[in-house]
Amino acid sequence: MKFNKEEIQKIILLALVLVGFLYVYFNMMIGGITANEVKKQAVIADLTPKIADARKQIKRTQDMEAQAGSVNETLEEVKAMIPEGAPIAWFPPKITDYFKRQGIEKVTTSPNGELGEPELEGFRKLTWTIAIPKVAFNKLGIALAGLENEVPLMEVTRVEIQTNREDPLMQTVLLSVVTIVK
Amino acid sequence: MALHLNLYHEIQTQNLQRQRDPLKLGMLALLVVAVGFVGYYFYRLQGSTGLNNQAARLQTDWLVLEPKQKQAATREGELLATVKLKEALVNRMEERCLWGPVLDIVAQGVPKEVQLKSLEATKVVTTDKIRVVTFVLSGVAGGVEPRRSAEDFRVAFLRRLSERFKSVNSVPKDGFRSLDDKDERVMLDGQNYPTAAFVVSYEAALDAPVPTATPARTRRGH
């Protein structure tokens, strides 16, 4: 098939129109869509795990909140065990009264200081020495066991028992104790 | 046979050439391709709109959830601190060394041949978080063989402590801190016996020791 000059010009013109059309189509129309899709896919990829994490976090907190009731109850019980006011004002009389009820007189309680306890936020640990100048060994054992049951926030960390020089049947006792206070 | 002449062959040739016009054919082909391209464009546009909607929905969700997540994280921190505090308090109470039973061991474990002069017991927590109670007992033992009486007491007391504590050791191991004969004599069951003064100490663990890894056996060559 032979083309004359006019036909060749038409074919060249057609080819130019085709190239222009393809450029506009792929670069602007499809290209625009592709660029938008890439952008949106990046947004989706970014937000999907964030939203999943957020939902998990909220669910976890809700579950914890549901269980927090018993924890708060325990904390309130513990706080209720600690009288208001300065410990020096209530702890020594409490110990003296307790031992008096057990038939042990002349008990002195003196403060020794404070122990650092970062785990117990909002509470303090105080150390005390309880001196009992004269007590029978069996009576001491019973009283000490009762005291440990009655004051669960107190721990005896050291017990020193010596035979009383004046009365060999009696003992002199020094107790080092730690109490948790507000 | 009749002669048939086609006097329009020139016109027919022109028509045929017009129909085979490459520009016209090209335009037709281009039109078909253009329709295909337009269809594909709308197909892609629809997919893109779906993505746009999904992204917009996620952004809206995120706008709602983000402040809630921050709030929840803060609250979780508070709750964890409360739980930790409660556990620390409960552990303090539960992990106390209770001295009533310990004093009962002392009361039950001292025979008539032995008189204790002093007892010191201290609870310490080791670096391995094992609660250990150290005992130092000093006293006087009497009998035909006062050193034997003291040794019997040391072993019997160790045994009694072992019933209550996880592991008990005499310090120094299998011995006394001091054991000396005394000049004083004591009356026991109407008889006069020599005496020996002793100091004995123990380390009693309230918790089981942390197991240590056993070294791997080395393979011996044949």
Side-chain angles (χ1 to χ4, degrees):
Chain A
M1 182 187 278
K2 277 192 173 180
F3 298 111
N4 58 30
K5 193 182 173 186
E6 193 186 339
E7 284 172 338
I8 289 169
Q9 281 175 347
K10 283 179 182 175
I11 288 168
I12 290 169
L13 179 66
L14 191 70
L16 285 174
V17 168
L18 183 66
V19 168
F21 171 74
L22 289 176
Y23 175 78
V24 169
Y25 180 78
F26 283 108
N27 205 36
M28 296 181 174
M29 296 168 79
I30 298 294
I33 289 175
T34 307
N36 178 55
E37 279 179 358
V38 168
K39 215 163 83 180
K40 295 300 173 189
Q41 273 166 349
V43 169
I44 291 166
D46 179 42
L47 289 182
T48 305
K50 278 185 180 174
I51 287 172
D53 284 350
R55 290 209 166 109
K56 270 187 208 163
Q57 168 80 73
I58 292 165
K59 174 83 172 58
R60 200 167 54 229
T61 307
Q62 282 170 345
D63 291 346
M64 282 184 76
E65 194 86 58
Q67 292 165 3
S70 65
V71 175
N72 285 331
E73 207 174 294
T74 309
L75 277 181
E76 288 309 314
E77 280 172 15
V78 169
K79 282 177 186 170
M81 288 179 202
I82 305 169
E84 293 296 328
I88 189 73
W90 56 262
F91 186 70
K94 185 177 182 172
I95 296 297
T96 307
D97 287 349
Y98 172 79
F99 280 109
K100 214 173 252 179
R101 274 188 275 131
Q102 300 293 322
I104 302 168
E105 303 284 340
K106 291 182 186 174
V107 176
T108 53
T109 306
S110 48
N112 280 345
E114 189 172 335
L115 290 175
E117 190 70 48
E119 275 186 23
L120 300 177
E121 203 186 325
F123 292 89
R124 292 181 298 148
K125 273 175 91 172
L126 300 182
T127 60
W128 309 82
T129 301
I130 300 171
I132 308 170
K134 206 171 175 184
V135 63
F137 190 86
N138 285 347
K139 200 179 249 188
L140 171 72
I142 293 164
L144 199 52
L147 182 66
E148 284 170 333
N149 285 332
E150 198 170 302
V151 192
L153 292 176
M154 186 202 80
E155 181 180 18
V156 179
T157 54
R158 184 174 164 81
V159 177
E160 278 182 60
I161 303 171
Q162 304 241 331
T163 309
N164 191 291
R165 286 180 187 173
E166 294 161 8
D167 186 350
L169 294 176
M170 301 298 262
Q171 275 77 36
T172 302
V173 179
L174 276 180
L175 302 172
S176 297
V177 303
V178 177
T179 52
I180 296 171
V181 297
K182 280 190 274 193
Chain B
M1 186 180 175
L3 183 64
H4 179 72
L5 289 173
N6 183 5
L7 299 174
Y8 295 103
H9 73 277
E10 282 294 329
I11 294 166
Q12 284 171 346
T13 306
Q14 275 181 359
N15 282 341
L16 207 63
Q17 276 179 344
R18 205 178 301 122
Q19 281 172 358
R20 288 177 185 164
D21 183 359
L23 188 62
K24 193 179 165 187
L25 289 173
M27 286 299 284
L28 279 171
L30 200 61
L31 189 69
V32 170
V33 171
V35 168
F37 277 11
V38 168
Y40 178 66
Y41 173 76
F42 280 110
Y43 168 72
R44 288 288 306 271
L45 194 64
Q46 195 184 7
S48 181
T49 310
L51 274 180
N52 282 348
N53 291 341
Q54 193 183 346
R57 201 173 56 244
L58 288 175
Q59 276 170 332
T60 313
D61 285 355
W62 179 239
L63 279 176
V64 175
L65 285 173
E66 193 186 14
K68 281 187 182 173
Q69 184 196 23
K70 281 182 183 165
Q71 208 177 343
T74 312
R75 182 71 187 132
E76 187 186 39
E78 289 168 8
L79 289 170
L80 280 175
T82 312
V83 169
K84 209 171 156 190
L85 175 63
K86 177 235 166 182
E87 279 172 4
L89 282 167
V90 170
N91 285 345
R92 292 288 179 290
M93 287 189 259
E94 286 178 353
E95 289 176 358
R96 291 181 302 160
C97 173
L98 299 175
W99 293 92
V102 175
L103 294 186
D104 186 50
I105 290 172
V106 178
Q108 304 292 325
V110 182
K112 63 180 179 181
E113 293 85 5
V114 171
Q115 188 194 359
L116 286 184
K117 288 192 166 177
S118 75
L119 159 73
E120 288 172 24
T122 310
K123 182 201 159 191
V124 289
V125 180
T126 66
T127 48
D128 304 331
K129 305 233 171 192
I130 295 172
R131 295 167 301 148
V132 174
V133 180
T134 59
F135 292 89
V136 180
L137 292 88
S138 67
V140 177
V144 181
E145 291 179 60
R147 284 173 178 261
R148 161 74 23 211
S149 300
E151 173 63 4
D152 289 345
F153 164 72
R154 187 188 70 80
V155 173
F157 197 76
L158 180 79
R159 204 162 37 239
R160 290 190 75 93
L161 285 176
S162 302
E163 290 166 9
R164 168 125 192 111
F165 292 90
K166 291 277 190 308
S167 71
V168 183
N169 292 314
S170 191
V171 182
K173 204 165 174 64
D174 301 326
F176 289 85
R177 276 193 175 186
S178 68
L179 180 59
D180 302 308
D181 291 326
K182 302 287 284 183
D183 294 334
E184 291 98 19
R185 297 179 73 85
V186 290
M187 288 292 285
L188 263 174
D189 300 327
Q191 294 205 20
N192 204 320
Y193 291 113
T195 58
F198 66 88
V199 177
V200 64
S201 72
Y202 305 91
E203 271 184 5
L206 283 158
D207 304 303
V210 179
T212 51
T214 49
R217 282 186 183 178
T218 51
R219 205 171 171 186
R220 292 185 180 190
H222 296 288

